[in-house]
Amino acid sequence: MTYCVAMRLDAGLVFLSDSRTNAGVDHINTFRKMSVIERAGERVLVLMTAGNLSVSQSVVNILRERLGRDDQENLYNLPNLFEAARHIGGVVREVYQRDAAALREFGIEFNASIIFGGQIAGEEPRLFSIYAAGNFIEASEDTPYFQIGESKYGKPIIDRVVTRRSSFEEAAKCALISMDSTIRSNLSVGMPLDLLIYERDALRVRDHFTIGPQNAYFNQIRTLWGERLRQAFTELPGPDWASF
């Protein structure tokens, strides 16, 4: 399991992913879920994956292998983010045609989901959610963020806090609290984390951080968040049973 979240803001884009793939008493594996494809000054593309690791790795590897090949479309030569999302969806379908039947024989579901976003010179920053069938949707004014993987624990705080007008600092802080809520509730989501900030029209990654268990800021906000939640809960009025 995994948890990834991305937010499309007026200021740019924020991406956050965990790195855990298996979790048990004596079996914990980590693989990075975030991939960055960048041509500074021309395009910045970010993918985050969830689902079956072999499927998602196959998709990312095929996309990377095709980079720079002028004889076929790839993420370096596609003219806009919509066409890039369509191309990624097509690669997902290629992997499905190749592997789905074999996986099914072993009782393994073909399962992959991708958050894809960035900016290509000449258009706005854009954000897409791509499904296992290769179809996709784009973030909008009403839905400025996407989650994949174990999304339910981190969703409430994002719904209450993040808007398109949020700053990078607000969005990153909210994403990290959302991740902390997920880590606390599900052992299959874990550190280290990848946090990437892309500023509108920069056409290069502004910040890309790896956040481990000893990260002072993450530990500070997760501690304060827990304390303030308990404080807010204590200060809420108790039920007036007579009014029920």
Side-chain angles (χ1 to χ4, degrees):
M1 186 56 76
T2 190
Y3 176 51
C4 302
V5 58
M7 304 168 181
R8 180 186 172 196
L9 314 172
D10 290 339
L13 301 165
V14 175
F15 301 86
L16 179 67
S17 63
D18 85 315
S19 60
R20 184 161 293 178
T21 57
N22 299 97
V25 174
D26 59 357
H27 187 201
I28 295 177
N29 291 331
T30 60
F31 287 90
R32 292 294 173 83
K33 316 294 177 57
M34 185 184 294
S35 300
V36 183
I37 296 171
E38 180 179 14
R39 274 187 165 175
E42 198 266 327
R43 66 185 61 202
V44 173
L45 309 175
V46 181
L47 297 93
M48 298 190 297
T49 59
N52 184 288
L53 183 63
S54 67
V55 172
S56 60
Q57 282 194 341
S58 292
V59 171
V60 172
N61 286 338
I62 291 172
L63 291 169
R64 287 195 175 278
E65 287 173 0
R66 292 179 180 174
L67 291 176
R69 294 185 57 176
D70 295 331
D71 60 326
Q72 61 185 143
E73 67 175 23
N74 61 74
L75 293 179
Y76 276 166
N77 63 24
L78 289 162
N80 56 61
L81 267 291
F82 180 89
E83 290 299 320
R86 180 194 55 75
H87 174 65
I88 295 169
V91 171
V92 173
R93 286 191 287 268
E94 285 182 37
V95 176
Y96 178 86
Q97 292 296 326
R98 187 191 70 190
D99 295 342
L103 290 173
R104 195 178 304 116
E105 289 182 7
F106 287 89
I108 301 172
E109 179 185 1
F110 184 92
N111 179 23
S113 52
I114 299 170
I115 292 176
F116 169 64
Q119 186 174 19
I120 294 175
E123 66 171 352
E124 296 287 307
R126 301 172 76 175
L127 187 65
F128 297 85
S129 183
I130 303 173
Y131 303 107
N135 56 324
F136 56 87
I137 59 173
E138 183 173 3
S140 65
E141 292 286 342
D142 296 329
T143 308
Y145 74 91
F146 288 128
Q147 300 168 288
I148 55 175
E150 187 58 275
S151 60
K152 58 182 176 291
Y153 302 109
K155 181 175 170 58
I157 177 63
I158 300 175
D159 284 338
R160 289 178 180 272
V161 171
V162 174
T163 71
R164 289 288 300 274
R165 293 172 295 282
S166 297
S167 68
F168 284 133
E169 290 74 17
E170 292 169 333
K173 179 169 60 176
C174 185
L176 289 168
I177 293 171
S178 171
M179 180 66 74
D180 175 57
S181 299
T182 306
I183 290 172
R184 287 177 180 273
S185 298
N186 193 320
L187 180 66
S188 68
V189 177
M191 303 175 85
L193 313 176
D194 276 315
L195 174 65
L196 187 145
I197 308 294
Y198 173 74
E199 186 173 357
R200 171 188 290 268
D201 298 330
L203 296 174
R204 57 175 49 84
V205 173
R206 196 189 86 166
D207 296 299
H208 190 178
F209 304 103
T210 298
I211 299 172
Q214 306 306 316
N215 183 274
Y217 176 70
F218 185 61
N219 288 331
Q220 178 187 34
I221 63 170
R222 71 191 311 191
T223 299
L224 286 174
W225 180 247
E227 291 174 353
R228 300 296 166 79
L229 278 178
R230 288 189 290 272
Q231 178 183 343
F233 176 78
T234 300
E235 293 175 355
L236 288 172
D240 179 0
W241 300 115
S243 69
F244 273 38

